[in-house]
Amino acid sequence: ICNNGLEAWNFAITEIPDLILSDVMMPEMDGFELCEKIKTDTRTSHIPVILLTAKTTESEQIEGLINGADIYLTKPFSNKALALNVRNLLTLRSNLRNKFSEELNSVPPTEKAVIDTHFSSTIDKDFYNKLIDLIHEHIEDPEFGVNMLSRKVAMSAPILYKKIKALTDMSVNDFIKSIRMKKAAELLLKNELNVSEVSYMVGYNDRKYFSREFKKQYGKSPSDFMNDFKNSL
């Protein structure tokens, strides 16, 4: 619980909460300004925001929605209605994360094909695209990991972890590995390289370790994955 809008903003950018419930009328920074900052900062743009207010005019409600509020509740409201709105927003975020994980692990690989349906925020979409591009840019480097990625996107490792976890339900390491495996699957489906060559091209010097990690994601070894694809043609 924060005492004013500025305190809430500082809390949001350090703790990255699952949801923000804010009054419109607050000292230091009102709810409209807080909501706008939340929704326009890459660190926090994914966080659902519920604004509460006694103001009932249409123009004020529109201002709340323009500033990015997911829900604008006017007082008085029942605790049950508030609880249902909170639950629905959190459930929606959870369902989107689950859907994203399923589609990210689909065959054939389609990590960029799911972006438009998963991210309603342009900021989140651009951030995700940047992550994908950076991982692909360094995909052959076995040393590319959390610390390097966090420096590239100018976020601390803890904040990056919370951001990626909120968007994909994965840790940063698992997310990077998932993209590596996606690229490996793409290369295997082209049927132009052997497993060892593909392993090196996605940053794995140890073919056996690569094969184990690939099987964790796709349920079959790279060789079986490639052979099954050949047989399906």
Side-chain angles (χ1 to χ4, degrees), residues 9 12-14 16 38 40-47 123-124 126-128 130-131 134 145-167 172:
W9 167 242
I13 59 177
T14 55
I16 317 295
I38 292 293
T40 55
D41 190 288
T42 304
R43 295 167 293 182
T44 56
S45 53
H46 64 280
I47 301 174
I123 292 175
D124 287 339
D126 291 344
F127 178 70
Y128 179 80
K130 185 175 182 179
L131 291 175
L134 284 169
V146 177
N147 291 332
M148 290 180 67
L149 184 59
S150 66
R151 287 197 297 271
K152 293 287 185 181
V153 297
M155 281 187 189
S156 69
I159 296 298
L160 180 62
Y161 174 86
K162 291 178 181 180
K163 179 73 179 183
I164 290 182
K165 185 71 173 177
L167 292 178
V172 184

Side-chain angles (χ1 to χ4, degrees), residues 26-186:
M26 294 186 295
E28 302 292 340
M29 181 188 297
D30 66 25
F32 292 140
E33 185 180 355
L34 173 63
C35 184
E36 182 181 17
K37 289 177 76 68
I38 292 293
K39 293 298 187 177
T40 55
D41 190 288
T42 304
R43 295 167 293 182
T44 56
S45 53
H46 64 280
I47 301 174
V49 177
I50 299 177
L51 287 182
L52 309 174
T53 184
K55 298 180 178 181
T56 59
T57 66
E58 182 179 359
S59 63
E60 287 159 343
Q61 292 182 38
I62 290 173
E63 183 178 0
L65 296 173
I66 287 175
N67 286 323
D70 294 86
I71 294 175
Y72 190 91
L73 282 180
T74 56
K75 302 173 183 178
F77 52 82
S78 69
N79 289 335
K80 183 176 181 180
L82 177 59
L84 285 172
N85 277 295
V86 169
R87 187 188 70 181
N88 289 343
L89 281 176
L90 293 177
T91 299
L92 175 62
R93 291 298 309 170
S94 177
N95 289 341
L96 286 172
R97 285 194 298 270
N98 291 337
K99 183 173 183 289
F100 180 83
S101 295
E102 290 173 2
E103 293 182 350
L104 187 59
N105 292 322
S106 65
V107 179
T110 56
E111 78 263 7
K112 285 203 171 184
V114 303
I115 296 176
D116 289 338
T117 58
H118 182 70
F119 301 121
S120 58
S121 162
T122 300
I123 292 175
D124 287 339
K125 190 183 300 184
D126 291 344
F127 178 70
Y128 179 80
N129 275 323
K130 185 175 182 179
L131 291 175
I132 294 294
D133 291 341
L134 284 169
I135 295 170
H136 283 170
E137 182 181 340
H138 299 276
I139 203 161
E140 294 185 19
D141 181 1
E143 300 301 318
F144 186 79
V146 177
N147 291 332
M148 290 180 67
L149 184 59
S150 66
R151 287 197 297 271
K152 293 287 185 181
V153 297
M155 281 187 189
S156 69
I159 296 298
L160 180 62
Y161 174 86
K162 291 178 181 180
K163 179 73 179 183
I164 290 182
K165 185 71 173 177
L167 292 178
T168 69
D169 204 27
M170 297 180 185
S171 68
V172 184
N173 273 324
D174 285 344
F175 180 72
I176 294 172
K177 183 176 69 176
S178 179
I179 301 305
R180 288 186 189 276
M181 293 302 142
K182 276 305 194 185
K183 183 61 178 179
E186 290 177 4

